[in-house]
Amino acid sequence: MKLSQMLLGTLREIPSEAEIPSHQLMLRAGMMRKMASGVYNFMPLGIRVVKKIENIVREEMDKSGAQELLASAILPSELWKESGRWEVFGPEMFKLKDRNDREFCLGPTHEEVFTDIARNEIKSYKQLPLNLYQIQTKYRDERRPRFGVMRSREFIMKDAYSFDKDEKGLDVSYKKMYEAYNRIFERCGLKCSCVEADSGAMGGAGSAEFMVKSDIGEDEIVFCTQCDYAANIEKAPSKPELGEKEELNALAKFETPNVRTIEELIKFFNTTPKKFAKTLIYKADDKVVAVMVRGDREVNEVKVVNEIGGAISFEMANESLVKKATSAEVGFAGPIGIKVDFLLVDKEIVNMYNFIVGANETGYHYTNVNYGRDFEGIVGDFRKVVEGDTCPKCGKKLTIARGIEVGHIFKLGTKYSESMNAVFLDENGETKPLVMGCYGIGVTRTLAAVIEQNNDENGILWPVSIAPYKVIVIPVVSKNNEQMSIAEDIYNKLSQNGIDVLLDDRNERAGVKFKDADLIGIPIKIIVGKKINEGMVELKFRNENLSEDVEIENIVNKIIKKLKK
Amino acid sequence: MKLSQMLLGTLREIPSEAEIPSHQLMLRAGMMRKMASGVYNFMPLGIRVVKKIENIVREEMDKSGAQELLASAILPSELWKESGRWEVFGPEMFKLKDRNDREFCLGPTHEEVFTDIARNEIKSYKQLPLNLYQIQTKYRDERRPRFGVMRSREFIMKDAYSFDKDEKGLDVSYKKMYEAYNRIFERCGLKCSCVEADSGAMGGAGSAEFMVKSDIGEDEIVFCTQCDYAANIEKAPSKPELGEKEELNALAKFETPNVRTIEELIKFFNTTPKKFAKTLIYKADDKVVAVMVRGDREVNEVKVVNEIGGAISFEMANESLVKKATSAEVGFAGPIGIKVDFLLVDKEIVNMYNFIVGANETGYHYTNVNYGRDFEGIVGDFRKVVEGDTCPKCGKKLTIARGIEVGHIFKLGTKYSESMNAVFLDENGETKPLVMGCYGIGVTRTLAAVIEQNNDENGILWPVSIAPYKVIVIPVVSKNNEQMSIAEDIYNKLSQNGIDVLLDDRNERAGVKFKDADLIGIPIKIIVGKKINEGMVELKFRNENLSEDVEIENIVNKIIKKLKK
């Protein structure tokens, strides 16, 4: 493409709306423009990269044996009501009605649709295994869209759904996707970690996320400092810190007027947070759940929800509910005498001695509390892992980093096939529910993540595999006919060899041309300048500071060879 | 792909929901499934054809110098309010609100969006001409979705918008699109006619439609029986039939109790419809329009709307409005003394003598009415062309056929750039509105149209260019190891040569395999049967009855050569 004819809207200034490098650079390089909050138009340079990522995804999915299809994006509410998710999604789902008042949504994900397809199309075990995928525009009405396409409301996703006759088959399908995902991200030039993720009430190693480390990530990932263990913090199991064994003292009630927070308690009792157990109260659908963790710990809500068998809504209890459960003002909750549906006790509490808890009475705390003697509950792992905790695999120290999820593979099992009656006849003529997996890649988010990992102060550094154009030919002085003619010749030859190449034939200063080429991140620059008098052009790679002079007659072959590698 | 692993849902029965061959065959071949009324899922075989058509469109658009981008599908209402079309679309537009109660629609077309992009990105004449296109899912809430993807509510469209500095430039852009469209449809194997279409109030040869002749088409196309003239009936100019000149008789009012319709009048006056002029009353936004045509003619509403300078809503007047305009019951409208904003008189009326019209008085008609003496109005071409009318180009007879519109090219001029202030600086530093064109192709509709033109009693006959697979290799007896091994070998070699090939390795009877291969329309069959004992396989083309035997060792090269042609 000749730049003089291309719609290239590069910006020198950083748009004030953009907080992170990928968002800034996608705007500055003219790859996209905002249409509405969290809704973007991909401009010519942007859509080229999207298509290249899509093609890599498509090739690797096909190679893994998956079959592409394309479901509709507007989806009738009936399907979602069948699975029970019409209400679950809440305001995150774009809902609409057609002219006959029938309810639809814009698909935020497609488990229901693919389960519906499967129950209509799959009759027999002979049709299994089957993996169906699509590359499609998805819609989620995010409460706070931000960071450009990193968290947008309209985005492109590859979603796949596998169907197997049993768990063993699912393991194979899941592994194929794991391998395909690794190949996809590697080919896109993205460094990411596959981390264990929460898989809901199912348990097991049934879910993994492909995470890109980044300070702006919404997820916290736990890594071992020694071994290869990595997990989403939602999933990472905690090891209890063992308290020193003590003689059990007699339970005592203490007047603690206006002492409610852990900080106030520490001061009041002149001790450490490790001597307290805090009791947090949640509302899970119509149940009330109390969770106890050590004073300096945080509750892992995902672990809690899994323990109680799942919940559609889960949130901190409001004041009136706390009062009802504890018969006291907020700040005095404790396990003894609390009126809740579930009392969950983090296992660390069991190894604490003579600790302090709220007395469920305004202005009072108990001291010398001990698990087993003074109260009992459901003991389990309910706290968040923290920096320095013990690795569950090798026992060394854990560290925590933030991450962006670019892919997710998930063993669904029979969750949807059972609720939607997607069954098949097995070898013995018995009706069985299909065993499903689902697998997603955020295509547009992957694009942004690649930029997050590949940029410098001058702009983007595209990996060759997904660069919008691989080469840019720059005649230093466009008005110099000799330079322009040599540049055009190189450009034409590269084009004829099927290489995506740009010719910067604009009547602009050399500085502007170089700045734009760097900003839009073209991996290879061929500069046609004064040295043509010596029969040379300059070859420069975006990711290297060095440049080399190459004979004009050799440059095309050199590039072709370079790109074949 | 091996059929044993493929999701292939062929049906022997014709689904009752499908009325036309393409709809029936797309369901029977398992290319798509219905999700909701007018909303479909493309299954693996279907999406392959969609992608092939998309690629042809993309290649030809790129070749014409157009640049691809991808705008969002959810569009903020503000843009549509700016152009004045938010209300125009009415219930055909899917509207929705986000969580903050902001109004959006699902884009039914993108003139506003591309005009918005242009006004933001285009500053100078140096950036012109520019042609931007996208291939995208579009949404129209059709009142009566039918015929599968021929008239669906979610469909894939290629839409392009050109921007030029003047009309001359637009002519060039328009011609490029005309040529690209011809190449696209030809490559897709679709026979279609480019016909003149209505271009609204702009007039001129500013709009053409690419039409596929079909009885189920929604449009009527006028063709000359002699020359190459072709036009949408909305556009085709009529030539008045000249009445025999008569002496003008004196105007007379006749009592005609309960005689209202043309049929009743003919009987009552014992004459022909050519002696009557009917007066129809319409409501155009807030104006009342009366249109007179000869008794046996039909009003061409598009011509009427153009004459009055456009209208957002245009419909037959209701009873009360008719009464108000005519001071009479319905059935007695006429030109003399009628109270309307516009009285349009078809030019044929001017050449009629002593004719009959309603008297604007219940139970009365006038006879011996003559234009000029008894009434006057805006004279023009307001009637529909009929079979046998005169060709405006060569004067021979016209004929009429129904057609399906698969493409449309349209000179918009400055309609949107003026209402949305999309301007540029010309060579003299003057601010001017961009001169625009828009160009659409219904991708999914093209697919259906190809099937309408290419099918027989056994199924689809795909043109090689867009066939989901070009070749199918069929071992007659799957359990025969020798047959299967030869078939697999041929399949592998064709695959390795980049040919889209199927292997029917299913454990099915030969009859089932042949039926399925014909139904899904694979152009080339290689049948591996008994003749392998003589070193031969059978080669059969879907569109020919003949088959030939080919040596096993030659078959792959023969196919490769055949497909290269």
Side-chain angles (χ1 to χ4, degrees):
Chain A
M1 181 102 211
K2 292 183 179 177
L3 271 188
S4 64
Q5 288 161 26
M6 184 170 160
L7 181 62
L8 174 71
T10 51
L11 309 172
R12 292 284 167 261
E13 302 292 317
I14 298 174
S16 59
E17 67 189 273
E19 302 167 64
I20 61 167
S22 61
H23 189 190
Q24 291 168 354
L25 287 168
M26 287 181 73
L27 292 173
R28 287 190 54 211
M31 291 180 66
M32 68 176 191
R33 294 290 186 249
K34 183 170 151 183
M35 178 89 275
S37 169
V39 180
Y40 293 90
N41 295 329
F42 283 97
M43 305 300 282
L45 267 188
I47 192 67
R48 287 183 73 91
V49 183
V50 170
K51 292 282 166 204
K52 292 196 175 190
I53 296 175
E54 284 183 5
N55 281 341
I56 289 174
V57 170
R58 187 171 280 123
E59 280 176 25
E60 295 298 338
M61 289 302 293
D62 289 348
K63 205 185 283 175
S64 81
Q67 294 173 60
E68 185 173 5
L69 51 73
L70 181 63
S72 69
I74 51 174
L75 307 176
S77 62
E78 289 82 356
L79 275 183
W80 295 81
K81 286 175 179 164
E82 223 183 308
S83 74
R85 291 210 295 178
W86 182 251
E87 299 303 333
V88 177
F89 262 94
E92 207 176 298
M93 197 186 240
F94 281 106
K95 291 178 180 169
L96 69 155
K97 286 184 176 173
D98 73 1
R99 65 195 303 152
N100 301 316
D101 247 15
R102 237 188 116 179
E103 284 179 310
F104 288 84
C105 71
L106 301 183
T109 176
H110 272 64
E111 281 80 5
E112 282 79 357
V113 175
F114 280 70
T115 307
D116 182 56
I117 290 173
R119 71 178 165 187
N120 292 328
E121 305 292 331
I122 300 175
K123 308 291 170 209
S124 153
Y125 72 94
K126 289 180 199 161
Q127 292 170 275
L128 303 175
L130 195 64
N131 188 337
L132 302 172
Y133 77 97
Q134 62 178 351
I135 298 174
Q136 197 201 36
T137 303
K138 297 258 185 294
Y139 298 88
R140 287 185 201 166
D141 196 358
E142 295 278 354
R143 197 168 54 81
R144 206 180 153 206
R146 62 193 295 209
F147 301 145
V149 292
M150 203 65 103
R151 203 198 309 164
S152 55
R153 301 200 288 175
E154 180 179 276
F155 55 97
I156 299 173
M157 190 171 153
K158 187 284 301 175
D159 47 330
Y161 305 86
S162 67
F163 302 91
D164 280 281
K165 57 181 183 174
D166 52 24
E167 295 287 335
K168 226 197 237 168
L170 173 57
D171 288 345
V172 176
S173 298
Y174 182 85
K175 185 153 181 280
K176 276 189 186 166
M177 284 297 99
Y178 169 80
E179 286 161 358
Y181 276 36
N182 276 312
R183 292 195 304 267
I184 288 167
F185 293 121
E186 200 192 318
R187 285 183 62 186
C188 289
L190 196 65
K191 286 178 280 296
C192 64
S193 315
C194 183
V195 311
E196 281 182 24
D198 174 62
S199 47
M202 281 184 51
S207 172
E209 289 161 339
F210 290 79
M211 286 283 188
V212 175
K213 276 192 204 177
S214 164
D215 291 342
I216 59 127
E218 282 189 292
D219 291 272
E220 283 182 285
I221 322 163
V222 178
F223 292 94
C224 180
T225 50
Q226 295 292 322
C227 77
D228 64 352
Y229 178 76
N232 192 307
I233 200 157
E234 293 178 343
K235 162 79 180 174
S238 69
K239 283 219 169 169
E241 196 180 305
L242 297 181
E244 214 157 296
K245 190 138 194 186
E246 298 174 17
E247 288 292 311
L248 307 195
N249 297 335
L251 183 70
K253 195 193 273 186
F254 247 80
E255 202 179 347
T256 52
N258 297 318
V259 177
R260 294 161 197 243
T261 67
I262 292 291
E263 289 72 33
E264 289 165 348
L265 283 163
I266 293 167
K267 224 167 159 186
F268 185 88
F269 287 103
N270 191 25
T271 178
T272 76
K274 295 189 182 181
K275 284 309 254 184
F276 296 92
K278 59 185 173 190
T279 306
L280 290 105
I281 302 173
Y282 293 89
K283 190 164 179 291
D285 298 338
D286 57 346
K287 303 281 190 213
V288 182
V289 184
V291 187
M292 286 184 76
V293 292
R294 204 172 75 181
D296 57 343
R297 301 303 196 188
E298 272 184 70
V299 171
N300 182 326
E301 298 185 355
V302 171
K303 291 177 181 174
V304 171
V305 171
N306 289 343
E307 176 65 37
I308 62 171
I312 288 173
S313 83
F314 187 81
E315 52 192 7
M316 290 294 292
N318 60 21
E319 201 179 318
S320 78
L321 197 61
V322 171
K323 282 183 184 167
K324 211 173 143 196
T326 63
S327 317
E329 295 292 321
V330 173
F332 301 97
I336 302 169
I338 196 164
K339 287 168 295 224
V340 291
D341 297 296
F342 296 96
L343 172 58
L344 306 189
V345 181
D346 185 66
K347 56 190 175 178
E348 209 162 44
I349 304 285
V350 176
N351 293 302
M352 284 167 64
Y353 301 95
N354 301 321
F355 52 93
I356 302 164
V357 302
N360 294 325
E361 190 180 336
T362 305
Y364 289 91
H365 279 79
Y366 283 118
T367 59
N368 295 329
V369 180
N370 289 282
Y371 183 81
R373 185 190 71 179
D374 302 321
F375 69 98
E376 286 191 330
I378 303 165
V379 175
D381 175 8
F382 303 120
R383 75 162 172 96
K384 262 195 193 166
V385 165
V386 292
E387 189 89 28
D389 262 343
T390 308
C391 172
K393 199 168 162 190
C394 76
K396 292 293 186 325
K397 295 268 174 249
L398 292 172
T399 181
I400 294 176
R402 298 201 79 82
I404 299 162
E405 182 194 318
V406 288
H408 195 166
I409 55 178
F410 199 105
K411 293 184 184 173
L412 290 170
T414 56
K415 179 176 156 138
Y416 291 91
S417 52
E418 277 180 1
S419 68
M420 294 180 64
N421 197 34
V423 297
F424 70 101
L425 285 180
D426 75 1
E427 290 88 334
N428 307 315
E430 270 179 67
T431 298
K432 294 222 173 122
L434 288 160
V435 181
M436 292 173 57
C438 74
Y439 316 92
I441 287 180
V443 171
T444 37
R445 182 182 279 185
T446 295
L447 186 159
V450 171
I451 298 179
E452 285 291 319
Q453 278 187 357
N454 298 279
N455 70 78
D456 63 14
E457 67 281 12
N458 297 318
I460 303 167
L461 285 89
W462 287 116
V464 170
S465 59
I466 63 169
Y469 294 88
K470 299 190 196 312
V471 183
I472 184 165
V473 185
I474 304 177
V476 174
V477 181
S478 294
K479 283 181 177 163
N480 179 319
N481 289 339
E482 215 183 331
Q483 285 183 19
M484 186 60 99
S485 130
I486 290 169
E488 274 197 318
D489 188 51
I490 295 170
Y491 164 78
N492 287 332
K493 284 181 181 151
L494 289 170
S495 280
Q496 284 150 19
N497 278 285
I499 291 168
D500 291 333
V501 56
L502 285 174
L503 173 67
D504 195 346
D505 59 340
R506 295 176 301 169
N507 196 5
E508 292 280 4
R509 282 177 298 116
V512 170
K513 294 183 183 183
F514 293 140
K515 271 205 160 64
D516 276 344
D518 281 353
L519 177 55
I520 66 177
I522 307 305
I524 301 172
K525 272 198 283 287
I526 300 172
I527 300 156
V528 184
K530 279 185 193 163
K531 286 199 182 143
I532 57 169
N533 297 330
E534 301 154 39
M536 303 292 245
V537 292
E538 194 183 337
L539 174 62
K540 206 166 173 181
F541 296 96
R542 178 70 179 89
N543 59 356
E544 290 172 17
N545 265 325
L546 299 171
S547 72
E548 62 176 309
D549 292 338
V550 179
E551 291 81 16
I552 294 170
E553 59 268 34
N554 292 339
I555 186 72
V556 170
N557 279 335
K558 194 173 170 99
I559 298 290
I560 293 170
K561 252 188 223 162
K562 183 89 194 170
L563 289 176
K564 265 202 185 133
K565 268 197 286 187
Chain B
M1 181 103 212
K2 293 181 178 179
L3 271 188
S4 63
Q5 289 162 25
M6 185 170 158
L7 181 62
L8 174 70
T10 51
L11 309 171
R12 292 284 167 262
E13 302 292 316
I14 297 174
S16 60
E17 68 190 90
E19 304 166 62
I20 61 167
S22 61
H23 189 191
Q24 292 167 355
L25 287 168
M26 286 181 74
L27 292 173
R28 286 189 55 209
M31 291 179 65
M32 68 175 192
R33 293 291 187 250
K34 183 169 149 182
M35 178 89 277
S37 168
V39 179
Y40 293 90
N41 294 330
F42 283 95
M43 306 299 281
L45 267 189
I47 192 67
R48 286 182 74 90
V49 182
V50 170
K51 292 282 167 204
K52 292 196 177 193
I53 296 175
E54 285 183 4
N55 282 340
I56 289 175
V57 170
R58 187 170 281 124
E59 280 177 23
E60 295 299 339
M61 289 302 292
D62 289 347
K63 206 185 283 177
S64 81
Q67 293 174 59
E68 185 172 5
L69 51 73
L70 181 63
S72 69
I74 51 174
L75 306 177
S77 62
E78 289 81 358
L79 275 184
W80 296 81
K81 287 175 180 165
E82 224 183 308
S83 74
R85 291 209 295 178
W86 182 250
E87 299 303 332
V88 178
F89 263 94
E92 207 177 297
M93 196 186 240
F94 281 107
K95 290 178 182 171
L96 68 155
K97 285 184 177 174
D98 74 1
R99 65 197 301 153
N100 301 315
D101 247 15
R102 236 187 117 178
E103 283 179 311
F104 288 84
C105 70
L106 301 182
T109 176
H110 272 63
E111 280 81 3
E112 282 79 356
V113 175
F114 280 69
T115 308
D116 182 56
I117 290 173
R119 71 179 164 186
N120 292 329
E121 305 291 330
I122 300 175
K123 308 292 169 208
S124 154
Y125 71 96
K126 290 180 197 162
Q127 293 170 275
L128 303 175
L130 195 64
N131 188 337
L132 301 173
Y133 77 97
Q134 61 179 351
I135 298 174
Q136 197 201 34
T137 304
K138 297 258 186 291
Y139 297 88
R140 287 185 200 167
D141 196 358
E142 294 277 354
R143 197 168 56 82
R144 207 180 153 206
R146 62 194 293 208
F147 301 145
V149 292
M150 204 65 102
R151 203 198 309 167
S152 56
R153 300 199 289 175
E154 181 180 273
F155 56 97
I156 299 173
M157 190 172 154
K158 186 285 300 174
D159 47 332
Y161 306 86
S162 67
F163 303 92
D164 280 282
K165 59 181 182 174
D166 52 25
E167 294 288 334
K168 227 196 234 168
L170 172 56
D171 288 346
V172 175
S173 298
Y174 182 86
K175 185 152 181 278
K176 276 188 186 166
M177 285 297 98
Y178 169 81
E179 287 161 357
Y181 276 35
N182 276 312
R183 292 195 303 267
I184 288 167
F185 293 121
E186 201 193 317
R187 285 183 61 186
C188 290
L190 195 65
K191 286 177 280 296
C192 63
S193 316
C194 183
V195 312
E196 279 182 27
D198 175 60
S199 48
M202 279 183 51
S207 173
E209 288 162 340
F210 290 80
M211 286 283 189
V212 175
K213 277 192 204 178
S214 163
D215 291 342
I216 59 126
E218 282 190 292
D219 290 272
E220 282 181 285
I221 322 164
V222 178
F223 292 95
C224 180
T225 50
Q226 295 292 322
C227 76
D228 63 352
Y229 178 77
N232 191 307
I233 199 157
E234 292 178 344
K235 162 80 180 175
S238 70
K239 282 218 169 171
E241 195 180 305
L242 297 181
E244 215 156 298
K245 189 139 194 181
E246 298 174 19
E247 289 293 309
L248 307 195
N249 297 333
L251 183 71
K253 196 192 273 185
F254 247 80
E255 201 178 347
T256 52
N258 296 319
V259 178
R260 293 160 199 247
T261 67
I262 292 291
E263 290 71 33
E264 290 164 348
L265 282 164
I266 292 167
K267 225 170 160 184
F268 185 88
F269 286 104
N270 189 24
T271 178
T272 76
K274 295 189 181 181
K275 282 311 254 184
F276 295 92
K278 60 186 173 191
T279 307
L280 291 104
I281 301 173
Y282 293 89
K283 192 165 177 292
D285 299 338
D286 57 346
K287 303 281 189 210
V288 183
V289 184
V291 187
M292 287 184 77
V293 292
R294 203 172 75 181
D296 57 343
R297 301 302 197 189
E298 272 184 69
V299 170
N300 182 325
E301 297 185 355
V302 171
K303 291 177 181 173
V304 170
V305 171
N306 289 343
E307 176 65 37
I308 61 171
I312 288 172
S313 83
F314 187 82
E315 53 191 8
M316 289 295 291
N318 60 22
E319 202 178 318
S320 78
L321 197 59
V322 172
K323 282 183 184 167
K324 212 174 140 194
T326 64
S327 318
E329 295 292 320
V330 173
F332 302 96
I336 301 169
I338 196 165
K339 285 168 296 223
V340 292
D341 297 294
F342 297 96
L343 173 59
L344 306 190
V345 181
D346 185 66
K347 56 189 175 181
E348 209 163 44
I349 304 284
V350 177
N351 294 301
M352 285 166 66
Y353 301 93
N354 301 323
F355 51 93
I356 302 163
V357 302
N360 294 325
E361 190 181 337
T362 306
Y364 288 91
H365 278 80
Y366 283 117
T367 60
N368 296 329
V369 181
N370 289 283
Y371 183 80
R373 185 191 71 179
D374 303 322
F375 70 97
E376 287 191 328
I378 302 165
V379 176
D381 175 8
F382 303 120
R383 76 163 172 96
K384 262 195 194 167
V385 165
V386 294
E387 190 89 27
D389 262 343
T390 307
C391 172
K393 199 167 161 190
C394 76
K396 293 292 188 323
K397 295 267 174 248
L398 291 173
T399 182
I400 293 176
R402 298 201 78 83
I404 299 162
E405 182 193 318
V406 288
H408 195 166
I409 56 178
F410 199 105
K411 293 185 185 174
L412 291 170
T414 56
K415 180 176 157 143
Y416 291 91
S417 51
E418 277 179 2
S419 68
M420 294 179 65
N421 198 34
V423 297
F424 70 100
L425 285 180
D426 75 1
E427 290 89 335
N428 307 314
E430 270 179 66
T431 299
K432 293 219 174 127
L434 289 159
V435 181
M436 292 173 57
C438 73
Y439 317 92
I441 287 180
V443 171
T444 37
R445 181 181 280 183
T446 295
L447 186 159
V450 170
I451 298 179
E452 284 292 319
Q453 278 187 356
N454 297 278
N455 69 79
D456 63 16
E457 66 281 12
N458 297 318
I460 304 167
L461 285 89
W462 286 117
V464 170
S465 59
I466 62 169
Y469 294 89
K470 298 189 197 314
V471 183
I472 184 165
V473 185
I474 304 178
V476 175
V477 181
S478 293
K479 283 181 179 164
N480 179 317
N481 289 339
E482 216 183 331
Q483 285 182 19
M484 187 59 99
S485 129
I486 290 169
E488 274 198 319
D489 188 50
I490 295 170
Y491 165 77
N492 288 331
K493 282 181 182 151
L494 288 170
S495 280
Q496 284 150 18
N497 278 285
I499 291 168
D500 292 334
V501 57
L502 285 173
L503 173 67
D504 195 347
D505 58 341
R506 294 176 302 169
N507 196 4
E508 293 280 3
R509 283 177 297 115
V512 170
K513 294 183 183 184
F514 293 140
K515 271 206 161 63
D516 276 344
D518 281 352
L519 178 54
I520 66 176
I522 308 304
I524 301 172
K525 271 197 284 283
I526 300 172
I527 300 157
V528 183
K530 279 185 191 162
K531 287 200 180 142
I532 57 169
N533 296 330
E534 303 154 37
M536 303 292 244
V537 292
E538 195 184 337
L539 173 63
K540 208 167 172 181
F541 295 95
R542 177 70 179 88
N543 59 357
E544 289 172 17
N545 265 326
L546 299 170
S547 72
E548 62 175 309
D549 291 338
V550 179
E551 291 82 15
I552 294 171
E553 59 267 34
N554 291 340
I555 187 72
V556 170
N557 279 335
K558 195 175 169 99
I559 298 289
I560 293 171
K561 253 189 223 159
K562 183 90 192 167
L563 289 176
K564 266 204 185 134
K565 269 197 285 189

